[in-house]
């Protein structure tokens, strides 16, 4: 029995690819273009939509290119595909020359009628609570977005590989292959539900953070990255305790703490409404809160999609505290 994923590929019945090195004959540029569309979109179906061809045609072309190259290009997943190491290498070698060729011959994104979608990546919380609402006017005006979420380093690797047009990074990228511009500043605040704040009665300020050791800590990850930074910056000491609850999404941390699960450290933008309504209380106010700068990152050297430029410029015009 053949099991097929949503891209129509028979993972269990496809004949094996040859294990020999790539052939010496040149690869078909149309096949390479289809390969890049799949590589950038992560799906045969999405690539077909980008190229204006059917998903079965994309599947056939990728299989043909794999046979010409003698290598597997994508691992077939239940939803979409993942590039192999050979695919990463091939993309790095052909992406810029092929993009330049397509633009020069009038087939680049900027010359094909409607502009291509803008592929934007970044932290889920920041994208969902700040960035996407800010971009709503552009979407209403015809800009198409394809949004991916994740941690900064993997997203930057994907940006270098051409999977995204723009990425929002929580730290400045290393090296010179990416162009990074400061986008906004995140200010962190120590918060808990009102019941915990009443129990503490301001003792964090008068007695120090040790009074919090009897209260459950809710945080993003086991290594307490945000809370540890707050302790070093504000209290000038190490945070030495384990979390009672970890949630790999700050919106989940916010929800748990608002419900009374304990205390945490959050970006102020994420909990501003709860602080204003009284659903959360700041346990300690400081004139020098920890601040983290987020960067808008773009890989240079690509033909410019005009909608990518619109998204980039619109976000940068909002200023560092939006």
């Amino acid at each position: 029995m053949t099991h097929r994923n949503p891209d129509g590929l028979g993972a269990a019945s496809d004949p094996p690819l040859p294990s020999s090195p790539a052939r010496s004959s040149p690869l078909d540029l149309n096949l390479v273009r289809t390969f890049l569309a799949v590589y950038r979109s992560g799906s045969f179906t999405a690539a077909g939509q980008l190229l204006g061809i059917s998903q079965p045609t994309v599947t056939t072309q990728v299989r043909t290119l794999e046979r010409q190259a003698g290598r597997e290009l994508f691992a077939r997943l239940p939803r979409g595909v993942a590039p192999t190491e050979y695919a990463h290498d091939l993309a790095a070698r052909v992406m810029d020359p092929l993009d330049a060729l397509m633009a020069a011959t009038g087939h680049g994104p900027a010359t094909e009628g409607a502009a291509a979608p803008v592929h934007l990546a970044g932290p889920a919380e920041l994208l969902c609570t700040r960035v996407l609402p800010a971009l709503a006017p552009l979407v209403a005006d015809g800009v198409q977005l394809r949004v991916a979420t994740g941690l900064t380093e993997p997203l930057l690797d994907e940006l270098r590989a051409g999977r995204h047009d723009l990425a929002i990074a929580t730290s400045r990228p290393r090296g010179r292959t990416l162009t990074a511009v400061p986008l906004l500043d995140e200010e962190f605040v120590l918060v808990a539900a009102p019941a915990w704040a009443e129990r503490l009665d301001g003792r964090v300020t008068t007695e120090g953070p040790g009074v919090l050791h009897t209260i459950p800590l809710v945080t993003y990850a086991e290594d307490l990255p945000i809370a540890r930074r707050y302790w070093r910056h504000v209290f000038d000491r190490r945070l030495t305790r384990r979390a009672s609850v970890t949630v790999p999404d700050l919106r989940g941390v916010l929800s748990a703490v608002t419900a009374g699960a304990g205390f945490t450290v959050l970006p102020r933008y994420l909990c501003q409404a709860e602080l204003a309504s009284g659903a959360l209380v700041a346990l300690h106010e400081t004139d020098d809160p920890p601040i983290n700068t987020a960067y808008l990152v773009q890989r240079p050297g690509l033909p410019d999609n005009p909608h990518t430029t619109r998204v980039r410029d619109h976000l940068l015009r909002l200023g560092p505290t939006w």
Side-chain angles (χ1 to χ4, degrees):
M1 179 176 179
T2 299
H3 298 280
R4 295 185 177 271
N5 68 12
D7 280 317
L9 293 170
S13 63
D14 284 337
L17 292 169
S19 58
S20 59
R23 297 181 182 180
S24 58
S25 57
L27 298 177
D28 186 311
L29 288 181
N30 286 326
L31 301 183
V32 175
R33 186 187 183 205
T34 300
F35 154 73
L36 281 180
V38 176
Y39 184 85
R40 285 168 164 160
S41 66
S43 164
F44 286 77
T45 302
Q49 293 171 349
L50 289 173
L51 298 173
I53 59 179
S54 68
Q55 175 265 315
T57 299
V58 173
T59 301
T60 299
Q61 292 184 357
V62 170
R63 290 295 298 173
T64 300
L65 183 60
E66 287 180 322
R67 293 189 183 283
Q68 288 184 4
R71 303 287 185 88
E72 185 180 40
L73 294 170
F74 300 102
R76 279 64 170 176
L77 305 177
R79 291 187 177 276
V81 294
T84 64
E85 287 302 315
Y86 179 77
H88 286 305
D89 179 66
L90 179 61
R93 287 185 285 118
V94 305
M95 190 176 300
D96 286 349
L98 186 59
D99 283 339
L101 175 62
M102 299 306 293
T105 56
H107 294 87
T111 61
E112 291 181 341
V118 178
H119 291 259
L120 174 66
E125 305 89 347
L126 186 56
L127 287 172
C128 292
T129 60
R130 279 293 185 267
V131 176
L132 290 178
L135 293 176
L138 295 189
V139 175
D141 196 36
V143 172
Q144 299 180 53
L145 296 175
R146 300 293 182 266
V147 178
T149 62
L151 299 176
T152 286
E153 288 304 320
L155 290 180
L156 291 179
D157 288 340
E158 293 172 2
L159 183 68
R160 292 183 182 96
R163 291 285 297 275
H164 313 299
D165 300 311
L166 299 168
I168 296 173
T170 55
S171 59
R172 184 184 289 276
R174 297 185 296 270
R176 300 181 179 180
T177 60
L178 299 173
T179 301
V181 181
L183 178 63
L184 60 85
D185 291 331
E186 300 175 304
E187 175 189 322
F188 293 104
V189 57
L190 180 66
V191 297
W196 288 114
E198 292 172 7
R199 176 175 169 178
L200 289 167
D201 193 26
R203 288 189 295 135
V204 176
T205 299
T206 59
E207 300 178 28
V211 299
L212 291 167
H213 278 229
T214 60
I215 300 176
L217 170 61
V218 184
T219 188
Y220 181 83
E222 288 287 354
D223 59 347
L224 319 178
I226 299 175
R228 283 191 297 106
R229 180 176 178 184
Y230 191 95
W231 253 243
R232 288 197 309 269
H233 185 92
V234 175
F235 300 125
D236 194 26
R237 65 185 68 179
R238 294 180 60 191
L239 175 61
T240 55
R241 61 173 295 174
R242 298 189 65 180
S244 297
V245 180
T246 62
V247 187
D249 188 314
L250 290 178
R251 293 165 299 180
V253 174
L254 170 64
S255 177
V257 173
T258 302
F263 78 95
T264 193
V265 178
L266 289 172
R268 186 176 289 274
Y269 77 80
L270 188 62
C271 59
Q272 187 66 54
E274 287 76 11
L275 289 170
S277 69
L280 286 180
V281 177
L283 300 179
H284 181 70
E285 295 289 355
T286 173
D287 294 333
D288 183 27
I291 291 177
N292 187 65
T293 299
Y295 295 86
L296 186 61
V297 188
Q298 182 174 7
R299 189 167 72 92
L302 292 177
D304 212 6
N305 177 351
H307 283 183
T308 301
T309 302
R310 291 184 65 189
V311 169
R312 180 193 63 205
D313 292 349
H314 182 81
L315 291 176
L316 293 177
R317 281 197 297 266
L318 295 174
T321 59
W322 55 282

